[in-house]
């Protein structure tokens, strides 16, 4: 957002000058408007004007996850979540641990990790699993998690090197001994393939009493 806001100010000033100025001011404004238009791709993460192609899919998947939790997780269950927005908003009867600390005081006060995406570079999975969440939502596909868990140390390092920086944090999550022992063996299963394809993979704590087979 930060680099985009000045462009809005330029456009606002341009509009004001159009209302108050003459031909010379209008010419200057056209230059300012052209500059602002040229910078518009900053608004899109894929560098193209307009809405990213996958933006709706992400929110649909988040809503699907919210519905799954609403129908299958017991009242008051503690759930870990990465994008702590859509899913917690629609499941108010559950409690959530925001992995990135946007609404978690402990994680928010942790030092930022260099090399990770801004806003996604504070986390403490020892603290997260120390709270014994009933459900762990890992922001990665189940297939990717299986591949990482089954790999040896060298294989895990190779996986880390080939994934983009935004997908590094889930690898740190599933690399925790507590996750491998108490959560990974209890992956949530569904009676049929979910549509849309989920962006996360769900696990329940082994002594939580929550069944691993969830309904649609």
């Amino acid at each position: 957002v930060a680099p985009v806001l000045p462009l809005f100010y330029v456009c606002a000033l341009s509009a004001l000058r159009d209302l108050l100025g003459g031909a010379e001011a209008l010419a200057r404004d056209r230059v300012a408007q052209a500059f602002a238009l040229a910078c518009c791709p900053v608004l899109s993460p894929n560098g193209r004007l307009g809405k990213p192609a996958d933006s709706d899919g992400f929110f649909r998947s988040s809503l699907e996850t919210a519905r799954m939790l609403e129908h299958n997780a017991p009242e008051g269950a503690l759930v870990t979540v990465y994008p702590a927005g859509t899913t917690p908003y629609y499941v108010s009867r559950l409690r959530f641990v925001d992995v990135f600390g946007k609404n978690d005081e402990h994680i928010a006060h942790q030092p930022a990790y260099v090399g990770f995406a801004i806003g996604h570079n504070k986390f403490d999975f020892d603290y997260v699993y120390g709270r014994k969440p009933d459900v762990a939502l890992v922001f990665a596909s189940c297939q990717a998690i299986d591949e990482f868990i089954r790999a040896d140390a060298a294989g895990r390092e190779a996986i880390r090197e080939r994934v983009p920086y935004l997908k590094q944090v889930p690898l740190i999550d599933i690399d925790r001994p507590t996750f491998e022992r108490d959560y990974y063996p209890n992956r949530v299963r569904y009676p049929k393939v979910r549509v849309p394809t989920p962006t996360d993979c769900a696990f329940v704590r082994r002594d939580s009493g929550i069944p691993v087979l969830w309904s649609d």
Side-chain angles (χ1 to χ4, degrees):
V1 175
V4 173
L5 286 177
L7 302 180
F8 293 140
Y9 294 137
V10 169
C11 292
L13 179 60
S14 175
L16 183 61
R17 285 182 174 175
D18 278 349
L19 292 174
L20 302 178
E24 181 180 352
L26 183 60
R28 289 196 305 267
D29 294 343
R30 291 293 179 261
V31 174
Q33 290 168 359
F35 173 77
L37 182 62
C39 295
C40 278
V42 174
L43 291 167
S44 176
N46 58 18
R48 296 194 303 268
L49 288 175
K51 185 173 59 176
D54 61 346
S55 60
D56 287 342
F58 173 79
F59 291 112
R60 283 198 303 270
S61 181
S62 296
L63 285 171
E64 184 74 7
T65 298
R67 294 189 187 101
M68 289 293 181
L69 289 169
E70 179 69 29
H71 289 294
N72 295 281
E75 182 86 23
L78 185 63
V79 183
T80 71
V81 63
Y82 281 67
T86 304
T87 297
Y89 181 83
Y90 284 100
V91 198
S92 59
R93 67 182 186 81
L94 303 181
R95 298 174 298 133
F96 289 87
V97 181
D98 179 5
V99 166
F100 290 123
K102 301 298 190 301
N103 53 25
D104 186 283
E105 183 177 6
H106 171 82
I107 298 176
H109 283 84
Q110 298 301 301
Y113 287 84
V114 176
F116 291 92
I118 295 173
H120 303 76
N121 56 355
K122 290 186 177 183
F123 41 85
D124 183 348
F125 289 108
D126 290 334
Y127 159 79
V128 167
Y129 287 109
R131 294 186 60 180
K132 295 186 176 181
D134 301 289
V135 179
L137 294 179
V138 180
F139 198 57
S141 69
C142 297
Q143 181 180 356
I145 294 172
D146 287 341
E147 179 185 4
F148 185 86
I149 292 293
R150 293 167 182 167
D152 57 16
R156 291 186 179 189
E157 185 62 29
I159 293 173
R160 289 191 181 96
E161 291 178 356
R162 73 170 186 254
V163 302
Y165 65 93
L166 192 55
K167 294 184 178 180
Q168 290 283 352
V169 178
L171 299 184
I172 297 173
D173 183 351
I174 62 180
D175 204 24
R176 310 312 302 167
T178 303
F179 173 83
E180 291 194 48
R181 181 186 68 241
D182 297 340
Y183 293 85
Y184 178 69
N186 309 302
R187 194 180 91 192
V188 169
R189 310 285 177 169
Y190 306 96
K192 61 182 179 180
V193 177
R194 289 169 60 187
V195 178
T197 302
T199 54
D200 47 31
C201 193
F203 302 84
V204 299
R205 196 180 74 249
R206 62 177 178 177
D207 58 351
S208 65
I210 302 175
V212 295
L213 182 61
W214 286 13
S215 64
D216 282 344

